[in-house]
Amino acid sequence: QVQLVESGGGSVQAGGSLRLSCAAYGYTYSLYCMAWFRQAPGKEREAVATLYTGGDTPYYADSVKGRFTISQDNAKTTLYLQMNGLKPDDTAMYYCAATYVAGCSGDFAYWGQGTQVTVSS
């Protein structure tokens, strides 16, 4: 199993940047995919970016393409989300997720507690 702990959220003005981190503890060696999701009040949870830990091309939601970058450290124990050009619509709780099961578009069994991102206009 793996435990996920997010950090790096906060409040910024539109156009600003934040970098989210997700530390993975436990059996990280066989993780297949890690991802960032977000959920705003009254909205469904959406996948923001996903990353195959073996190094394939990341997936990005259309709403964040060109602004957000997902990456992992060399040890594959920390996942990052660099967010630039933030917009008020990016305001949400951001969650890190992971799975051992092949396929980055399937269900993620492991989730962090979330970190709040608030963007003011």
Side-chain angles (χ1 to χ4, degrees):
Q1 289 192 352
V2 65
Q3 293 78 45
L4 305 173
V5 180
E6 303 100 332
S7 61
S11 297
V12 296
Q13 290 190 329
S17 299
L18 284 173
R19 188 193 197 199
L20 305 183
S21 297
C22 171
Y25 301 95
Y27 193 63
T28 61
Y29 182 78
S30 295
L31 284 173
Y32 186 90
C33 185
M34 298 187 73
W36 288 99
F37 286 76
R38 68 185 181 187
Q39 188 167 22
K43 294 186 178 180
E44 293 189 355
R45 184 176 63 196
E46 64 169 337
V48 174
T50 65
L51 180 67
Y52 163 54
T53 59
D56 203 353
T57 303
Y59 158 85
Y60 294 100
D62 287 343
S63 58
V64 306
K65 279 181 182 176
R67 299 188 298 122
F68 290 11
T69 303
I70 188 172
S71 62
Q72 61 185 5
D73 67 343
N74 289 337
K76 301 180 181 179
T77 58
T78 305
L79 185 72
Y80 301 101
L81 185 69
Q82 178 66 43
M83 306 186 294
N84 299 327
L86 283 162
K87 305 176 181 179
D89 284 349
D90 295 319
T91 295
M93 184 71 80
Y94 283 71
Y95 298 91
C96 176
T99 180
Y100 295 105
V101 178
C104 287
S105 59
D107 292 335
F108 287 80
Y110 301 94
W111 294 83
Q113 81 287 353
T115 186
Q116 178 68 38
V117 172
T118 302
V119 185
S120 58
S121 57

